[in-house]
Amino acid sequence: MHADIIKQMRDEEAGLLLKLNAVRNLLSVYGEAPVATSAASTQSVKRTAPASRAREKVAITSFTMQTRMSVLLSLDAMVHAPGLLKTSALVEYIEKRGHEITGNNKVNALGALLARSEDVQGHGKSGWTVADRERALSILAEHLHNEKGPHSVYAGGPETAPYALTEEAME
């Protein structure tokens, strides 16, 4: 009987450690570092939990219409930028075009979306670039520039089309 209880508790511990790793992985997508833990629990996590895998990158069509527009507008900004763009600059760019990024922290929300996109390359805190410029231009031509509606980049007329990113936004 004692051995059964020990086995159940070990199984429960392993399950909780898997859940903890999943939460930590989700927090890392949002740029958050895990809370400091004791050496014993860290060793236990390393011993019992499988190696964490990076979240799978997805195509533009895998996003919802709302989140797809955020990624498309980000791609639009990136293909026209001379260098890396910070997430905060992308949020500003997107909002200038009348599209709303949902979530309490728009920078974190957009960063999580971009991290999932196979068409975007992250460069840590330095910013974002497109993974393949020609592919990004093709995606934009198909999904954004031909769209007729309130979210089209050029729907607001010439005053909204050439939004210039500031120098500090690209640093």
Side-chain angles (χ1 to χ4, degrees), residues 75-83 85 93 133 137 140 145 154 165 170:
L75 286 173
D76 190 54
M78 286 183 253
V79 297
H80 295 99
L85 288 176
Y93 181 88
R133 189 171 193 281
L137 289 169
L140 290 170
H145 297 293
Y154 306 109
L165 293 163
M170 292 184 273

PDB file of all heavy atoms in Angstrom, residues 75-83 85 93 133 137 140 145 154 165 170:
ATOM      1  N   LEU A  75       4.034  42.514 -41.525  1.00  0.00           N
ATOM      2  CA  LEU A  75       4.828  42.155 -42.703  1.00  0.00           C
ATOM      3  C   LEU A  75       4.972  43.353 -43.630  1.00  0.00           C
ATOM      4  O   LEU A  75       6.046  43.613 -44.174  1.00  0.00           O
ATOM      5  CB  LEU A  75       4.175  40.999 -43.463  1.00  0.00           C
ATOM      6  CG  LEU A  75       4.277  39.607 -42.864  1.00  0.00           C
ATOM      7  CD1 LEU A  75       3.432  38.623 -43.664  1.00  0.00           C
ATOM      8  CD2 LEU A  75       5.713  39.148 -42.786  1.00  0.00           C
ATOM      9  N   ASP A  76       3.881  44.101 -43.800  1.00  0.00           N
ATOM     10  CA  ASP A  76       3.905  45.274 -44.660  1.00  0.00           C
ATOM     11  C   ASP A  76       4.944  46.280 -44.161  1.00  0.00           C
ATOM     12  O   ASP A  76       5.705  46.835 -44.950  1.00  0.00           O
ATOM     13  CB  ASP A  76       2.511  45.906 -44.716  1.00  0.00           C
ATOM     14  CG  ASP A  76       2.411  46.981 -45.770  1.00  0.00           C
ATOM     15  OD1 ASP A  76       2.739  46.711 -46.941  1.00  0.00           O
ATOM     16  OD2 ASP A  76       2.012  48.111 -45.420  1.00  0.00           O
ATOM     17  N   ALA A  77       4.979  46.494 -42.861  1.00  0.00           N
ATOM     18  CA  ALA A  77       5.959  47.421 -42.290  1.00  0.00           C
ATOM     19  C   ALA A  77       7.375  46.889 -42.483  1.00  0.00           C
ATOM     20  O   ALA A  77       8.284  47.637 -42.860  1.00  0.00           O
ATOM     21  CB  ALA A  77       5.674  47.643 -40.804  1.00  0.00           C
ATOM     22  N   MET A  78       7.563  45.596 -42.262  1.00  0.00           N
ATOM     23  CA  MET A  78       8.901  45.015 -42.324  1.00  0.00           C
ATOM     24  C   MET A  78       9.488  45.003 -43.728  1.00  0.00           C
ATOM     25  O   MET A  78      10.685  45.226 -43.889  1.00  0.00           O
ATOM     26  CB  MET A  78       8.887  43.600 -41.743  1.00  0.00           C
ATOM     27  CG  MET A  78       8.770  43.565 -40.242  1.00  0.00           C
ATOM     28  SD  MET A  78       8.848  41.874 -39.627  1.00  0.00           S
ATOM     29  CE  MET A  78       7.152  41.633 -39.166  1.00  0.00           C
ATOM     30  N   VAL A  79       8.658  44.737 -44.736  1.00  0.00           N
ATOM     31  CA  VAL A  79       9.219  44.688 -46.091  1.00  0.00           C
ATOM     32  C   VAL A  79       9.638  46.070 -46.574  1.00  0.00           C
ATOM     33  O   VAL A  79      10.465  46.178 -47.482  1.00  0.00           O
ATOM     34  CB  VAL A  79       8.263  44.031 -47.130  1.00  0.00           C
ATOM     35  CG1 VAL A  79       7.995  42.590 -46.783  1.00  0.00           C
ATOM     36  CG2 VAL A  79       7.003  44.815 -47.318  1.00  0.00           C
ATOM     37  N   HIS A  80       9.108  47.112 -45.971  1.00  0.00           N
ATOM     38  CA  HIS A  80       9.462  48.466 -46.384  1.00  0.00           C
ATOM     39  C   HIS A  80      10.483  49.129 -45.454  1.00  0.00           C
ATOM     40  O   HIS A  80      10.908  50.254 -45.710  1.00  0.00           O
ATOM     41  CB  HIS A  80       8.201  49.335 -46.484  1.00  0.00           C
ATOM     42  CG  HIS A  80       7.281  48.854 -47.565  1.00  0.00           C
ATOM     43  ND1 HIS A  80       6.183  48.074 -47.302  1.00  0.00           N
ATOM     44  CD2 HIS A  80       7.337  49.007 -48.904  1.00  0.00           C
ATOM     45  CE1 HIS A  80       5.587  47.783 -48.437  1.00  0.00           C
ATOM     46  NE2 HIS A  80       6.263  48.333 -49.430  1.00  0.00           N
ATOM     47  N   ALA A  81      10.857  48.452 -44.407  1.00  0.00           N
ATOM     48  CA  ALA A  81      11.823  49.008 -43.449  1.00  0.00           C
ATOM     49  C   ALA A  81      13.245  48.652 -43.875  1.00  0.00           C
ATOM     50  O   ALA A  81      13.485  47.563 -44.385  1.00  0.00           O
ATOM     51  CB  ALA A  81      11.542  48.466 -42.052  1.00  0.00           C
ATOM     52  N   PRO A  82      14.182  49.544 -43.639  1.00  0.00           N
ATOM     53  CA  PRO A  82      15.567  49.257 -44.012  1.00  0.00           C
ATOM     54  C   PRO A  82      16.291  48.326 -43.035  1.00  0.00           C
ATOM     55  O   PRO A  82      17.405  47.900 -43.309  1.00  0.00           O
ATOM     56  CB  PRO A  82      16.224  50.642 -44.007  1.00  0.00           C
ATOM     57  CG  PRO A  82      15.417  51.436 -43.051  1.00  0.00           C
ATOM     58  CD  PRO A  82      14.018  50.919 -43.150  1.00  0.00           C
ATOM     59  N   GLY A  83      15.677  48.019 -41.916  1.00  0.00           N
ATOM     60  CA  GLY A  83      16.337  47.156 -40.931  1.00  0.00           C
ATOM     61  C   GLY A  83      15.329  46.522 -39.994  1.00  0.00           C
ATOM     62  O   GLY A  83      14.148  46.383 -40.320  1.00  0.00           O
ATOM     63  N   LEU A  85      12.739  45.949 -36.956  1.00  0.00           N
ATOM     64  CA  LEU A  85      11.687  46.765 -36.354  1.00  0.00           C
ATOM     65  C   LEU A  85      11.330  46.198 -34.994  1.00  0.00           C
ATOM     66  O   LEU A  85      11.099  44.992 -34.860  1.00  0.00           O
ATOM     67  CB  LEU A  85      10.434  46.774 -37.230  1.00  0.00           C
ATOM     68  CG  LEU A  85      10.517  47.573 -38.511  1.00  0.00           C
ATOM     69  CD1 LEU A  85       9.238  47.417 -39.319  1.00  0.00           C
ATOM     70  CD2 LEU A  85      10.755  49.036 -38.198  1.00  0.00           C
ATOM     71  N   TYR A  93       2.631  51.283 -35.973  1.00  0.00           N
ATOM     72  CA  TYR A  93       2.361  51.204 -37.407  1.00  0.00           C
ATOM     73  C   TYR A  93       0.965  50.640 -37.658  1.00  0.00           C
ATOM     74  O   TYR A  93       0.190  51.176 -38.454  1.00  0.00           O
ATOM     75  CB  TYR A  93       3.437  50.332 -38.048  1.00  0.00           C
ATOM     76  CG  TYR A  93       3.339  50.163 -39.542  1.00  0.00           C
ATOM     77  CD1 TYR A  93       3.954  51.071 -40.395  1.00  0.00           C
ATOM     78  CD2 TYR A  93       2.662  49.097 -40.106  1.00  0.00           C
ATOM     79  CE1 TYR A  93       3.896  50.920 -41.773  1.00  0.00           C
ATOM     80  CE2 TYR A  93       2.587  48.934 -41.481  1.00  0.00           C
ATOM     81  CZ  TYR A  93       3.202  49.841 -42.300  1.00  0.00           C
ATOM     82  OH  TYR A  93       3.137  49.692 -43.662  1.00  0.00           O
ATOM     83  N   ARG A 133      11.795  37.998 -48.071  1.00  0.00           N
ATOM     84  CA  ARG A 133      11.158  39.219 -48.572  1.00  0.00           C
ATOM     85  C   ARG A 133      10.225  38.948 -49.754  1.00  0.00           C
ATOM     86  O   ARG A 133       9.125  39.463 -49.814  1.00  0.00           O
ATOM     87  CB  ARG A 133      12.222  40.252 -48.965  1.00  0.00           C
ATOM     88  CG  ARG A 133      11.607  41.601 -49.290  1.00  0.00           C
ATOM     89  CD  ARG A 133      12.677  42.673 -49.472  1.00  0.00           C
ATOM     90  NE  ARG A 133      12.103  43.994 -49.468  1.00  0.00           N
ATOM     91  CZ  ARG A 133      11.486  44.539 -50.510  1.00  0.00           C
ATOM     92  NH1 ARG A 133      11.359  43.867 -51.627  1.00  0.00           N
ATOM     93  NH2 ARG A 133      10.986  45.755 -50.418  1.00  0.00           N
ATOM     94  N   LEU A 137       6.216  39.659 -49.844  1.00  0.00           N
ATOM     95  CA  LEU A 137       5.561  40.507 -50.841  1.00  0.00           C
ATOM     96  C   LEU A 137       4.427  39.760 -51.539  1.00  0.00           C
ATOM     97  O   LEU A 137       3.364  40.334 -51.810  1.00  0.00           O
ATOM     98  CB  LEU A 137       6.582  41.016 -51.863  1.00  0.00           C
ATOM     99  CG  LEU A 137       7.565  42.072 -51.336  1.00  0.00           C
ATOM    100  CD1 LEU A 137       8.689  42.295 -52.338  1.00  0.00           C
ATOM    101  CD2 LEU A 137       6.850  43.362 -51.001  1.00  0.00           C
ATOM    102  N   LEU A 140       1.523  39.555 -49.098  1.00  0.00           N
ATOM    103  CA  LEU A 140       0.870  40.865 -49.011  1.00  0.00           C
ATOM    104  C   LEU A 140       0.011  41.129 -50.239  1.00  0.00           C
ATOM    105  O   LEU A 140      -1.106  41.636 -50.129  1.00  0.00           O
ATOM    106  CB  LEU A 140       1.909  41.969 -48.823  1.00  0.00           C
ATOM    107  CG  LEU A 140       2.602  41.984 -47.469  1.00  0.00           C
ATOM    108  CD1 LEU A 140       3.766  42.961 -47.486  1.00  0.00           C
ATOM    109  CD2 LEU A 140       1.620  42.311 -46.365  1.00  0.00           C
ATOM    110  N   HIS A 145      -3.028  43.801 -50.014  1.00  0.00           N
ATOM    111  CA  HIS A 145      -3.126  44.904 -50.965  1.00  0.00           C
ATOM    112  C   HIS A 145      -4.315  44.781 -51.908  1.00  0.00           C
ATOM    113  O   HIS A 145      -4.800  45.778 -52.403  1.00  0.00           O
ATOM    114  CB  HIS A 145      -1.822  45.042 -51.755  1.00  0.00           C
ATOM    115  CG  HIS A 145      -0.669  45.382 -50.878  1.00  0.00           C
ATOM    116  ND1 HIS A 145      -0.564  46.583 -50.220  1.00  0.00           N
ATOM    117  CD2 HIS A 145       0.412  44.657 -50.504  1.00  0.00           C
ATOM    118  CE1 HIS A 145       0.547  46.588 -49.499  1.00  0.00           C
ATOM    119  NE2 HIS A 145       1.150  45.437 -49.646  1.00  0.00           N
ATOM    120  N   TYR A 154      -4.325  50.676 -47.808  1.00  0.00           N
ATOM    121  CA  TYR A 154      -4.542  51.907 -48.559  1.00  0.00           C
ATOM    122  C   TYR A 154      -5.987  52.384 -48.524  1.00  0.00           C
ATOM    123  O   TYR A 154      -6.338  53.314 -49.220  1.00  0.00           O
ATOM    124  CB  TYR A 154      -4.065  51.714 -49.998  1.00  0.00           C
ATOM    125  CG  TYR A 154      -2.646  51.227 -50.018  1.00  0.00           C
ATOM    126  CD1 TYR A 154      -2.330  49.943 -50.393  1.00  0.00           C
ATOM    127  CD2 TYR A 154      -1.613  52.056 -49.585  1.00  0.00           C
ATOM    128  CE1 TYR A 154      -1.022  49.498 -50.370  1.00  0.00           C
ATOM    129  CE2 TYR A 154      -0.308  51.617 -49.554  1.00  0.00           C
ATOM    130  CZ  TYR A 154      -0.016  50.342 -49.949  1.00  0.00           C
ATOM    131  OH  TYR A 154       1.272  49.898 -49.911  1.00  0.00           O
ATOM    132  N   LEU A 165       8.307  55.191 -40.606  1.00  0.00           N
ATOM    133  CA  LEU A 165       8.780  54.774 -39.287  1.00  0.00           C
ATOM    134  C   LEU A 165       9.896  55.697 -38.860  1.00  0.00           C
ATOM    135  O   LEU A 165      10.746  56.082 -39.654  1.00  0.00           O
ATOM    136  CB  LEU A 165       9.272  53.337 -39.346  1.00  0.00           C
ATOM    137  CG  LEU A 165       8.172  52.318 -39.604  1.00  0.00           C
ATOM    138  CD1 LEU A 165       8.788  51.016 -40.065  1.00  0.00           C
ATOM    139  CD2 LEU A 165       7.344  52.111 -38.366  1.00  0.00           C
ATOM    140  N   MET A 170      13.254  51.900 -35.405  1.00  0.00           N
ATOM    141  CA  MET A 170      13.992  50.842 -36.099  1.00  0.00           C
ATOM    142  C   MET A 170      15.261  50.433 -35.369  1.00  0.00           C
ATOM    143  O   MET A 170      15.939  49.523 -35.782  1.00  0.00           O
ATOM    144  CB  MET A 170      14.304  51.290 -37.521  1.00  0.00           C
ATOM    145  CG  MET A 170      13.066  51.404 -38.360  1.00  0.00           C
ATOM    146  SD  MET A 170      13.430  51.804 -40.046  1.00  0.00           S
ATOM    147  CE  MET A 170      13.484  53.590 -39.952  1.00  0.00           C
TER     148      MET A 170
END
